[in-house]
Amino acid sequence: MLKIVEKSKIWFSISIIIVLAGLFFMFTNGLNFGIDFKGGTVVKIDFQKEMSQEESAEIDNIISKYCDVDDTEKRIMNKTELELSFKQGVIEKESIGKLHKEIKEKFQLKDDYVLSERNIGATVSKELTKTAWIAVVAATIAMLIYITFRFEITFGVAAIIALLHDILITLSVYAIFDVKINTPFIVAMLTILGYSINDTIVVFDRVRENKNKNRKLPLNELANSSIRQTISRSINTSISTLMTIVCLFILVPAIREFTLPLIVGVLSGSYSSIFIASPVWVMINKRLKKAYK
């Protein structure tokens, strides 16, 4: 018989280890914020043909004349579009023009080779960071109110703890592997919150249903029984969702900044809805019972 709640220390320990590792990297190296949050310049160049490895190396050599290659993000989009991203302070504005002109001359590109050039100032990036946090906090509060209204406050608190778990796990993975964070990450985080809360509500709905049927059933057995009845649905939904997102991640490189956090978030959300939310709900209710005795 599957006993999730009784082994909650194991599930909590796994999450705590990942989060602590993430916090260590956050405090030592910091999160790798992209130009959407730090400010900078993005230049898109029509390379007009598929780029070979030798040509990519030549572009790196050109970039090294003006700034450190490691401080520049280079991406190939739609096979023929070259995107160069420079964080604020890495390169002078005048040098950016000289750089892409040298690329034009080196590879004999047409006059309309620059598709776009976007500058993001420090003020805009700070405002974006502030707005992103407000969006995440507002979404979390709204979910707490909804779950409290639909169920009860203990379900709401447990669900929010599970959501915070998903946010921390995703941030930890990004910190550990030094993955760049840009605007699509925030969109993905809000999507993850919605996916995770939906999965958690399915379990809690079954908990409430079983509780109404048998109010004398111990909390541990109530939670375990509800998880057993919904676990196959949660796993099957997660697998089908992951298959789609992984295919997008592999086949559509242009949206990897969006699909990568979704992959991490779906895995974390599925884990938290089964191994975190229900055990936390049991712990809260047990403590409340002791407090009111």
Side-chain angles (χ1 to χ4, degrees):
M1 185 178 289
L2 188 64
K3 293 186 177 182
I4 300 295
V5 176
E6 287 79 0
K7 298 180 181 179
S8 58
K9 288 183 179 179
I10 297 174
W11 321 130
F12 293 167
S13 297
I14 293 171
S15 298
I16 288 170
I17 290 169
I18 296 172
V19 170
L20 287 177
L23 289 173
F24 172 78
F25 280 93
M26 286 182 207
F27 283 115
T28 53
N29 301 327
L31 289 168
N32 186 7
F33 289 105
I35 65 167
D36 289 348
F37 294 98
K38 289 292 187 180
T41 303
V42 180
V43 181
K44 286 186 180 180
I45 296 173
D46 183 5
F47 201 69
Q48 298 159 11
K49 61 177 180 178
E50 288 192 32
M51 186 184 300
S52 64
Q53 291 185 349
E54 291 77 14
E55 289 170 330
S56 179
E58 288 178 9
I59 289 174
D60 288 339
N61 291 332
I62 295 174
I63 293 172
S64 65
K65 296 179 184 178
Y66 300 92
C67 63
D68 193 336
V69 176
D70 293 333
D71 292 330
T72 305
E73 183 181 351
K74 181 180 71 178
R75 292 198 304 169
I76 306 299
M77 304 172 66
N78 300 325
K79 295 185 178 180
T80 60
E81 292 180 11
L82 171 65
E83 181 181 271
L84 301 175
S85 301
F86 307 94
K87 289 183 181 179
Q88 196 163 18
V90 168
I91 186 173
E92 298 292 332
K93 288 185 178 180
E94 297 78 11
S95 298
I96 294 175
K98 293 178 182 178
L99 188 156
H100 62 65
K101 283 181 182 177
E102 186 171 341
I103 292 175
K104 175 198 173 186
E105 293 171 0
K106 175 68 178 178
F107 299 102
Q108 300 178 349
L109 304 180
K110 296 178 182 178
D111 291 337
D112 57 349
Y113 68 101
V114 177
L115 297 173
S116 65
E117 185 169 332
R118 180 166 59 100
N119 296 299
I120 302 173
T123 304
V124 175
S125 60
K126 286 180 181 178
E127 186 63 27
L128 179 62
T129 304
K130 179 183 176 182
T131 305
W133 279 113
I134 290 173
V136 172
V137 172
T140 304
I141 293 173
M143 290 177 188
L144 175 60
I145 294 171
Y146 168 74
I147 295 171
T148 302
F149 177 78
R150 181 174 172 180
F151 297 94
E152 59 184 52
I153 187 64
T154 54
F155 284 110
V157 173
I160 294 306
I161 291 173
L163 290 180
L164 292 175
H165 164 274
D166 298 337
I167 293 172
L168 288 173
I169 291 293
T170 306
L171 286 173
S172 296
V173 170
Y174 266 62
I176 293 168
F177 295 101
D178 196 33
V179 183
K180 195 178 297 296
I181 297 176
N182 276 317
T183 309
F185 175 83
I186 303 301
V187 180
M189 287 303 298
L190 293 173
T191 306
I192 290 166
L193 293 180
Y195 179 89
S196 179
I197 201 68
N198 177 70
D199 221 12
T200 302
I201 284 175
V202 170
V203 179
F204 282 172
D205 195 46
R206 188 56 59 89
V207 170
R208 182 180 61 176
E209 183 181 326
N210 290 334
K211 184 180 178 182
N212 291 334
K213 287 180 180 178
N214 189 353
R215 293 188 174 276
K216 294 182 179 180
L217 196 66
L219 289 174
N220 284 17
E221 182 55 36
L222 175 63
N224 285 330
S225 176
S226 301
I227 292 170
R228 284 196 297 270
Q229 292 168 15
T230 57
I231 192 169
S232 60
R233 175 202 177 278
S234 296
I235 292 174
N236 290 335
T237 302
S238 298
I239 290 174
S240 59
T241 303
L242 278 172
M243 288 174 63
T244 304
I245 300 173
V246 169
C247 287
L248 286 172
F249 179 81
I250 295 171
L251 300 175
V252 190
I255 60 171
R256 281 179 180 168
E257 288 185 351
F258 177 69
T259 52
L260 178 59
L262 281 183
I263 292 171
V264 178
V266 167
L267 288 171
S268 176
S270 300
Y271 180 85
S272 67
S273 65
I274 297 171
F275 300 102
I276 303 296
S278 296
V280 167
W281 176 79
V282 171
M283 288 174 59
I284 293 172
N285 278 277
K286 284 184 176 180
R287 294 200 175 188
L288 286 175
K289 283 186 176 181
K290 286 182 180 180
Y292 285 105
K293 276 186 178 180

